[in-house]
Amino acid sequence: MSNKAMIAMSGGVDSSVAAWLTKQAGFDCTGATMRLFTTNEPDEAAEAHAVAERLGLPHLTFDFAAEFRQQVMDKFAAAYEQGQTPNPCISCNRQLKFGRLLEEAQHMGFSHLATGHYARIEYDQGRGRWLLKKALDAGKDQSYVLFGLTQQQLACTLLPLGELTKAQVRQIAEQQSFANAHKRESQDICFVPDGDYAAFIQQHTGHSYPPGDFVNKQGQVLGRHRGLIHYTLGQRHGMGLALGRPAYVCGLCPQQNTVQVGFAEDLYISGLRLREINLITVPELNEPQYFAVKMGYRRREQPALVQQTGPDELLIQFVRPQRTTGIGQAAVIYAGELVVGGGLIAETLAN
């Protein structure tokens, strides 16, 4: 196998340092930037190109705007229309970064794709499998969004930042005089930089989303909502209802155009059903086992019994009831620092 590595470079400090580290490790490196949409992207591509030039690396730009619109943006908007809460970063990793970009890299003769994610990959001789592990910097760990990597993808992926802290990464960037050494990190979805999902969906689809009823569990009308896409499961603010104590969105019904409202105790679930699953440590789960399950990037892991109930289905039963999360989010299964696998939440089970 050759030691040619394509570096996915976004113009940020993490991917820039990943490029430097990969070059230091002896790989023949080329930087690559995915052009996914028009907003602000010329700046990102220019920043990535400047870092690549400083490192003496060739730099390529791939126009994946059509695929990104179809595979990520369209699916994001369609999911919201159905009352779901998707994670577009996971879709982008699956379809674009470790899909189209990796395909291009392999077609061009590169042996590896390196990214600036905070996680670790290693080969386990005993299992005969590639493993995905949490980053050493727990505060920056991104293994959650990488659960969909297959054995083939893990085998040719490099994650140079997995053993470093964010402070160490910025220090390397300073030492190399990268202009982005102190660039602020965005916490928003890249194609919704202002965080206004409803405005993006209306603009993207050209659809209108009419007002409807807020209802309680018994179906009684409590008031009027502004349109389904303005609400997500667990939301507390922005409803304008006076119910005597804090109220939350407990359900979304596109068919009836209603938003079900309840209280904190109504948000708890006993388990989940997952689809579009990917297992990493094993090819399949032959028996129910206890693991730790994470239902969101910022949420804590929770103990649960995990059972594979079909070729593409996992049943999660929590040891203790958990606050619900949106359909379409990912649930990722951990055994200590190892990512066992995960899937997308297709159903929540009542408490």
Side-chain angles (χ1 to χ4, degrees), residues 54-83:
R54 181 170 185 80
L55 292 173
L57 308 181
H59 180 259
L60 306 172
T61 301
F62 294 96
D63 185 355
F64 293 156
E67 291 99 324
F68 186 75
R69 182 181 180 90
Q70 180 183 26
Q71 298 289 342
V72 180
M73 298 168 79
D74 288 355
K75 288 183 178 180
F76 177 84
Y80 256 84
E81 289 180 326
Q82 293 302 310

Side-chain angles (χ1 to χ4, degrees), residues 104-127:
E104 289 286 348
Q106 292 177 328
H107 179 72
M108 296 174 69
F110 289 91
S111 58
H112 292 83
L113 175 70
T115 79
H117 287 100
Y118 287 81
R120 293 176 289 164
I121 295 171
E122 66 180 43
Y123 186 71
D124 186 314
Q125 198 73 42
R127 299 174 196 249

Side-chain angles (χ1 to χ4, degrees), residues 69 73 191 197-207 209 229:
R69 182 181 180 90
M73 298 168 79
F191 55 87
Y197 301 164
F200 162 77
I201 293 165
Q202 286 176 309
Q203 184 274 327
H204 183 76
T205 64
H207 298 166
Y209 301 92
I229 61 168

Side-chain angles (χ1 to χ4, degrees), residues 41-343:
E41 278 216 300
D43 290 339
E44 290 187 357
E47 289 174 1
H49 182 82
V51 172
E53 197 170 50
R54 181 170 185 80
L55 292 173
L57 308 181
H59 180 259
L60 306 172
T61 301
F62 294 96
D63 185 355
F64 293 156
E67 291 99 324
F68 186 75
R69 182 181 180 90
Q70 180 183 26
Q71 298 289 342
V72 180
M73 298 168 79
D74 288 355
K75 288 183 178 180
F76 177 84
Y80 256 84
E81 289 180 326
Q82 293 302 310
Q84 300 179 8
T85 313
N87 187 321
C89 297
I90 288 172
S91 298
C92 185
N93 280 331
R94 277 184 160 181
Q95 305 296 333
L96 278 299
K97 188 168 286 182
F98 298 100
R100 286 286 286 114
L101 186 62
L102 181 56
E103 287 171 11
E104 289 286 348
Q106 292 177 328
H107 179 72
M108 296 174 69
F110 289 91
S111 58
H112 292 83
L113 175 70
T115 79
H117 287 100
Y118 287 81
R120 293 176 289 164
I121 295 171
E122 66 180 43
Y123 186 71
D124 186 314
Q125 198 73 42
R127 299 174 196 249
R129 294 182 71 83
W130 290 91
L131 304 178
L132 177 65
K133 302 170 72 174
K134 294 177 183 177
L136 287 189
D137 186 341
K140 290 300 299 177
D141 175 54
Q142 292 173 298
S143 59
Y144 173 84
V145 298
L146 299 176
F147 82 88
L149 291 180
T150 65
Q151 287 294 300
Q152 293 75 19
Q153 290 166 335
L154 288 167
C156 52
T157 298
L158 301 173
L159 303 178
L161 306 189
E163 305 280 345
L164 301 177
T165 65
K166 183 72 178 195
Q168 289 173 317
V169 167
R170 289 204 185 277
Q171 185 178 30
I172 291 170
E174 283 180 0
Q175 291 168 349
Q176 298 307 311
S177 301
F178 292 160
N180 58 20
H182 296 285
K183 184 178 179 180
R184 186 178 66 85
E185 291 183 295
S186 171
Q187 301 299 318
D188 300 312
I189 293 172
C190 64
F191 55 87
V192 194
D194 61 358
D196 190 344
Y197 301 164
F200 162 77
I201 293 165
Q202 286 176 309
Q203 184 274 327
H204 183 76
T205 64
H207 298 166
S208 59
Y209 301 92
D213 290 330
F214 284 121
V215 298
N216 62 15
K217 283 195 295 186
Q218 290 73 38
Q220 296 171 311
V221 176
L222 304 174
R224 297 286 284 174
H225 68 68
R226 296 185 294 147
L228 209 69
I229 61 168
H230 292 275
Y231 307 92
T232 57
L233 207 60
Q235 181 175 327
R236 176 178 170 184
H237 300 289
M239 290 181 283
L241 297 174
L243 301 181
R245 59 188 177 117
Y248 298 84
V249 173
C250 295
L252 298 155
C253 181
Q255 293 77 18
Q256 304 297 323
N257 192 28
T258 56
V259 175
Q260 187 187 109
V261 176
F263 303 108
E265 62 268 25
D266 299 318
L267 290 173
Y268 284 80
I269 58 173
S270 64
L272 307 165
R273 288 193 188 276
L274 308 185
R275 302 281 198 279
E276 296 187 44
I277 69 170
N278 181 59
L279 295 172
I280 296 176
T281 57
V282 291
E284 60 183 359
L285 292 173
N286 295 318
E287 58 184 11
Q289 295 181 60
Y290 283 96
F291 294 110
V293 177
K294 190 172 184 176
M295 286 191 289
Y297 182 54
R298 301 291 178 193
R299 293 185 63 165
R300 292 183 178 179
E301 299 163 22
Q302 299 295 335
L305 184 65
V306 180
Q307 180 179 1
Q308 187 163 358
T309 51
D312 191 36
E313 181 180 273
L314 293 173
L315 172 64
I316 310 290
Q317 295 171 291
F318 292 108
V319 171
R320 294 178 295 277
Q322 296 299 316
R323 187 162 171 151
T324 192
T325 191
I327 302 297
Q329 284 284 318
V332 178
I333 303 157
Y334 290 88
E337 62 182 0
L338 288 177
V339 177
V340 176

